[in-house]
């Protein structure tokens, strides 16, 4: 039934590598790098003026520049992989417990959660990710959750050297009072099946997973359709995850980013930014300084530059 | 610089026409068609169980089925063309007065407007569209606003037979108390340059523009990149409009629709739904019965079926 | 059944008059008088540094000081008399349409009104006063509303020289966009029986009633139980009005004022403040400069001083 | 300076005792008693259809009826004594950390707390009471907090037999997830000086204090000015506590209760209701069945009947 074809131009590997090198040089001239996340003490020590970028292309090649091999805490980007892991096992149940609408509010707002009776707007705000983590606990049990999620990431990234920084996990566990409030609140509405403390512990652990740009770019390939999806994850699940990244991936900066870049993406307060270009590329960018909405400042500038150069916007 | 090509399969015209015919037959077997918008008396008279669909393809051909020639009130879909018209003239000013983030709330909510001091979240909620209309008044003046906007639509649709149903405009003018509240509220925050009454009058008039599916599908081609963009509208403006349609086009059902369909789209309470498939097609669907969020019920089901069949999702 | 008595000390007329004279002198030494209401152009011309005070005592005597004979716009204080006038005719209906709870929000907030589906929290926020005005329109008709309300005030104040400043009414009518938004919004929820424009017109007229401290103090006597209540107004209606004044009379400064002064009271943006001391006195104070919550700054300071001196707090 | 006196009729002891006996009989004929608080398992076992009432009069006499000697969990009524205890030591600090305005929202709402950056509206909503408890921890230390608060109550009630039901405290500690969310949230805003767990533990303990109507009525006398205020508690502190009880004492039913009864009062989910009649009486009523706002149903009916009979309203 599908017979006609249409030519779509993509930049050559050489052109892209040259562009990445130039981009790295330009970004390093930035005057303002934003502020590192200071609410997690362990992350507060990081120098904000760092930058790395890597792209896994449809032909299997990788382009990269800057500190692409520097490991960082993926933080909220783990929400994407946690959701994928849950959807691969039981997609019905999670969508009864969490919505799929953008929130328009801060990532850790309790307002909407109260108005909507403990039903988080989407799985990428903290409340929604706690519910996803609760599902992970049901699926894997507390002991196996982290090993299984790491196994999932190692498999999709084809790299065994992905681990958790337990110092960061402990650091966040000690100071994440607002997340603790969210967990208690969800529990009070009956939307957590495990004790709040247990869910929080598992949550800060998968947020403390450490990757570098090369690993993260490769891990995102299945979302771009460049590698086989893990297990029973269907085409519509992957499209759905991309839709959530496009509408909710950068908290209350998601709409603005969609307007300027037009690509599914997910940020983390560790400075990471994962960019999915369906059928073409999976891009990981890192810059630890954050803007006032908690998104990595230099990385979002770089993402816009990449979208302009490549014409990769899906819109 | 761009040299490599990638084959993308698209359905043939014949396959698509056959699918549309089947789709029309299946949709007509629906048991529940939703309720027509009863807050605009003139629209309340419409039979909800009607359906039409048309697609303008990249090769210039059109496929259609059902009541594709039946004119309907485009209502909120006019917000897309009003915004395009404003961006073509002065893109800086409008983005100082209205945001680009999804709202997560009802299309006529005053809550966020108060929290955010009269700065509407995006141009597709009613408050934002009133600000866009205020810009149109500045650009064209009251006398010429409607003729110019109709001219714009006739040009992009290549069809002179597009008009306004003044009975619908009057009907909405008489009963749109909530929009009147929004306009007064915006004015009280200094975010309207013209008197609230004048803005409301212009707003209900462009919402009362009447088109059929064939006309609307053709009018959307410039957003899909299938026809030259009007005047000074740039590639990034068009990408931005598509981003807003994807994140905010179906009110507080936008995220869900992006999850299931993955295409920029805009609904209207007259039952219309415009679907943009970048580089491939502009699709218009019509079914006057609405779901509980104010989106056309049968049309959104049809959109999901079309996306499944064609694989047109951008995600 | 009631036989035992208890002595309650009250200051003598002489002591009180001496205190008022001293108070007037002290208040005039204030460095900060606040800002006059600038959203009503006609009021914006007033000098903020003015002060007057008058008290009608239980023995029929009056004490006063400062500019007690200077007429001012009673503004929101008219809400008390409008409510009393409505309760005297039909107390059931109004309490189906407006609540009796403090709002905790600004006097012209739309937030709560949306959350609570057009049912205003209480009759002293603007939305509630619009509903009360709508009831007045039903009772008296548009023509007679103002004459009847003026008649009511002249009767309770025993003074024929109470009038409306139509310049102030027009001034507010021209700029009260936020009230217009509230009225349209109420109408959209079906909680206004008359067209929003008509309700607004009547509302700004009764807010533009002009009185001086002597007149206002005498007008409040029926609320203090010092004069016969007008018409069919019962003891429980009067107690209820006092309760509303105590919990909602100074907008979102009501709780603080109750804490410090402990007396039912109602402020207006014209600078007036009516203080009810059940069984003992009705006190009117005037100072046109307002604090950041829209309450008269010097008048609230004076009220606290009076309460301290007299021990009149009900708590 | 104060020389004139005014006679105020009060019912005789005999008349009041007869009325209480009749009231007890009438209340027991109620068809609907409301539901006991089921979120604290230990309280959920109570039979809702119970009733007791006691009044401590200005002459030192006590009138009572029904189950006036049946001990119950005072729950939120402890917030009044906790506040009094804090004000007696350090009134400045607590008023920097908590407001004095009615909230208009549920007693355990997080909404306002987020909007107002962790500054609770008043000390009688749960968030505010947690802050007061945090102050108690600073004043007494964890070990001595409960003994000292019990000592305070025993002193004002002149009764050594007032204790804590540790089963109720444990029961609430195990299920109070929403309070835990509030505490974590306050801590995240820097408005708790002790760890959330410690504050919660102290909070549920003082809420689990057990008293009967006779004890509670006697304990309230200092608020009515019928006994010497404890320690350094001033007249203005007591007036302020009464003001808070009047404006915020029955959660989001406070305005309605002030309208109908006109007396400072405080309810608890254990079914208790403390009513302060300045200069005349301190009344305790108990009925464990609650209305939909969490206030004791039969007790509020009884309070209204008592106010009607005695004319004790302050308004």
């Amino acid at each position: 039934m599908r017979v006609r074809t249409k030519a779509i131009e993509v930049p050559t590997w050489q052109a892209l590598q040259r562009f990445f090198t130039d981009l790295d040089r330009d970004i390093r001239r930035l005057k303002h790098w934003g502020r590192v996340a200071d609410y997690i003490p362990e992350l507060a020590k990081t120098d904000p003026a760092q930058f790395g970028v890597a792209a896994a292309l449809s032909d299997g090649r990788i382009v990269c520049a800057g500190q692409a091999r520097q490991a960082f805490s993926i933080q909220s980007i783990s929400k994407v992989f946690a959701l994928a892991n849950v959807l691969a096992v039981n997609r019905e149940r999670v969508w009864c417990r969490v919505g799929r609408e953008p929130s328009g509010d801060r990532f850790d707002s309790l307002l909407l959660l109260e108005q909507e009776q403990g039903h988080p707007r989407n799985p990428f705000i903290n409340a929604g990710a706690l519910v996803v983590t609760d599902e992970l606990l049901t699926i894997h049990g507390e002991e196996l959750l982290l090993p299984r999620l790491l196994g999932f990431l190692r498999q999709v990234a084809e790299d065994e050297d992905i681990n958790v920084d337990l110092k960061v996990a402990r650091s966040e566990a000690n100071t994440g009072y607002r997340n603790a409030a969210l967990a208690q609140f969800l529990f009070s509405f009956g939307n957590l099946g495990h004790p709040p403390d247990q869910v929080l512990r598992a949550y800060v652990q998968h947020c403390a997973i450490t990757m570098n740009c090369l690993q993260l770019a490769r891990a995102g390939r299945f979302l771009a359709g460049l590698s086989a999806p893990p297990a029973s994850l269907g085409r519509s699940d992957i499209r759905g995850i991309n839709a959530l990244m496009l509408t909710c991936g950068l908290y209350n900066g998601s709409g603005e980013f969609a307007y300027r870049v037009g690509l599914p993406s997910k940020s983390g307060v560790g400075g990471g930014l994962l960019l999915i270009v369906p059928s073409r590329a999976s891009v990981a960018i890192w810059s630890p300084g954050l803007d006032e909405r908690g998104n990595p400042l230099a990385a979002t500038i770089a993402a816009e530059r990449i979208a302009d150069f490549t014409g990769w916007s899906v819109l």
Side-chain angles (χ1 to χ4, degrees), chain A:
Chain A
M1 186 182 66
R2 289 180 175 82
V3 290
R4 296 176 56 258
T5 67
K6 181 162 173 294
I8 291 180
E9 304 165 53
V10 294
T12 59
W13 182 88
Q14 286 83 355
L16 203 56
Q17 181 58 58
R18 210 159 40 230
F19 170 75
F20 269 35
T21 308
D22 292 354
L23 176 66
D24 177 53
R25 189 199 53 217
D26 291 355
I27 288 290
R28 285 178 194 279
R29 289 173 183 154
L30 276 178
K31 292 238 176 61
H32 303 290
W33 288 81
R35 302 179 50 183
V36 295
D38 53 6
Y39 70 94
I40 303 177
E42 195 64 26
L43 296 183
K45 306 170 184 170
T46 316
D47 173 13
Q50 302 185 79
F51 179 74
V53 60
L57 305 178
S58 58
D59 59 5
R61 293 218 244 181
I62 301 274
V63 287
C64 68
Q67 293 153 283
R69 278 173 222 287
Q70 170 72 50
F72 57 87
S73 192
I74 65 169
Q75 292 295 317
S76 285
I77 303 174
S78 74
K79 293 172 183 172
V80 175
F81 300 106
L83 176 64
N85 201 244
V86 163
L87 291 179
V89 176
N90 188 332
R91 75 179 58 78
E92 270 74 36
R93 202 167 47 198
V94 71
W95 295 132
C96 296
R97 299 175 57 192
V98 60
R100 303 196 277 221
E101 291 300 324
S103 84
D105 266 320
R106 270 172 56 93
F107 59 91
D108 55 0
S109 173
L110 284 97
L111 280 172
L112 287 172
L113 200 55
E114 179 155 48
Q115 282 176 350
E116 294 170 9
Q117 300 282 301
H119 188 86
R121 274 281 171 95
N122 65 63
F124 292 165
I125 53 171
N126 290 11
L130 288 167
V131 169
V132 169
T133 304
D134 188 57
E135 281 290 321
L136 283 176
L137 281 168
T138 303
I139 293 168
H140 303 301
E142 188 170 17
E143 295 280 292
L144 291 178
L145 190 155
L146 195 60
R148 292 262 179 87
L149 195 58
L150 281 171
F152 179 89
L153 275 169
R154 289 165 182 165
Q155 180 198 338
V156 293
E158 294 178 272
D159 190 328
E160 286 302 303
D161 192 25
I162 296 174
N163 293 291
V164 169
D165 185 337
L166 289 175
K167 265 194 301 185
V168 170
R170 270 193 303 271
S171 180
E172 188 170 1
N174 288 338
T175 55
Y177 304 105
R178 203 160 168 127
N179 284 334
L182 286 169
Q184 298 282 2
F185 202 44
L186 286 165
F187 198 86
S188 76
F189 277 115
N191 202 5
L192 283 189
H194 298 82
D197 280 356
Q198 198 182 348
V199 176
L200 282 167
R201 214 155 43 226
Y203 172 79
V204 297
Q205 281 183 356
H206 72 67
C207 285
I209 288 173
T210 283
M211 296 171 86
N212 63 35
C213 288
L214 288 165
Q215 292 170 328
L216 184 57
R218 276 198 304 266
R221 287 172 307 171
F222 78 94
L223 293 169
L226 305 182
S227 69
S232 63
L233 211 60
R235 174 75 191 94
S236 67
D237 294 319
I238 286 171
R239 190 175 65 206
I241 294 171
N242 284 334
L244 285 164
M245 292 174 74
L246 193 68
T247 56
C248 325
L250 273 77
Y251 313 119
N252 52 343
S254 302
E256 188 66 25
F257 193 77
Y259 190 93
R260 292 190 289 115
V261 175
L263 288 172
S265 54
K266 185 74 203 81
S267 63
V269 292
L273 183 69
L274 175 62
L275 221 65
I276 301 302
V277 194
S279 307
R280 302 198 190 161
S282 162
V283 184
I285 320 179
W286 173 63
S287 70
L290 308 179
D291 66 20
E292 74 282 359
R293 282 174 169 137
N295 293 311
L297 184 58
T300 50
I301 294 171
E304 195 172 352
R305 297 276 305 274
I306 294 170
D308 282 349
F309 175 76
T310 57
W312 277 346
S313 167
V314 298
L315 301 173

